[in-house]
Amino acid sequence: MRAGAHGSWAYLVMELLPGCDLRRYTRSDLLLPVPEVVRIAAAVADALAHAHAHGVVHRDLKPANVMLDWPSRRVVLTDFGVARLDDAQRTRTGVVLGTPVYMAPELLAGTDATPASDLYALGVLVFELVTGRPPFSADGLGELLRQVAQAPAPPLTSPAGPLPPGLVALVAALLAKTPAQRPKDAPAVARQLADQCHA
């Protein structure tokens, strides 16, 4: 990515990525094989590990922000538009940014985004890619937020059949209500997912 100015115009140049985002693979009739979901999730966890190591929290991880190019099998985490540095101050209005269904419970209480909240969103992403639906859904925003904040996440199941117990346990840990109950960091999650790829 490059940025600069030309006269009175500021510009930002980004790579034109081939492929598609993951939204299409959250449809129940287009679900990917579970090993492919695990491979993609491991790549996303690696990207989060890189961002977190540089003090950046993504804050809006969701299928629309993950690009997949089948010929190269490349996975790219995109749209850091609401990302921020760990030590950045809160916005003046105190508004929490992100997409509600992927937001960790602590964000709904007004706490700052952290790497742990990105890991929660990764858990939602994997859950949705495997099942074709997010762990929580409701007709109204208020009920959705109540479920995210209070309701236990349903266990991960697949319409294709039994899942590896390690994957089920990892997603349950990622979807834990409190950050301290989640895996310690993105590199640890990436390693666990990589282990699932080779299991």
Side-chain angles (χ1 to χ4, degrees), residues 33-68:
V34 171
E36 193 64 33
V37 172
V38 172
R39 182 189 74 82
I40 292 167
V44 173
D46 276 333
L48 289 175
H50 181 79
H52 296 166
H54 288 81
V56 176
V57 180
H58 189 282
R59 298 204 299 173
D60 198 23
L61 174 58
K62 58 187 178 182
N65 290 340
V66 180
M67 293 290 293
L68 174 62

Side-chain angles (χ1 to χ4, degrees), residues 116-188:
S117 53
D118 277 350
L119 293 182
Y120 179 91
L122 178 60
V124 177
L125 177 89
V126 175
F127 191 102
E128 192 171 10
L129 289 173
V130 170
T131 66
R133 58 181 175 79
F136 302 108
S137 61
D139 291 335
L141 179 60
E143 173 59 18
L144 173 62
L145 297 181
R146 186 200 68 76
Q147 290 182 21
V148 171
Q150 300 175 6
L156 181 68
T157 60
S158 169
L163 293 168
L167 179 62
V168 174
L170 176 58
V171 171
L174 290 169
L175 295 177
K177 292 298 181 192
T178 61
Q181 294 175 307
R182 295 178 204 141
K184 68 173 186 172
D185 55 30

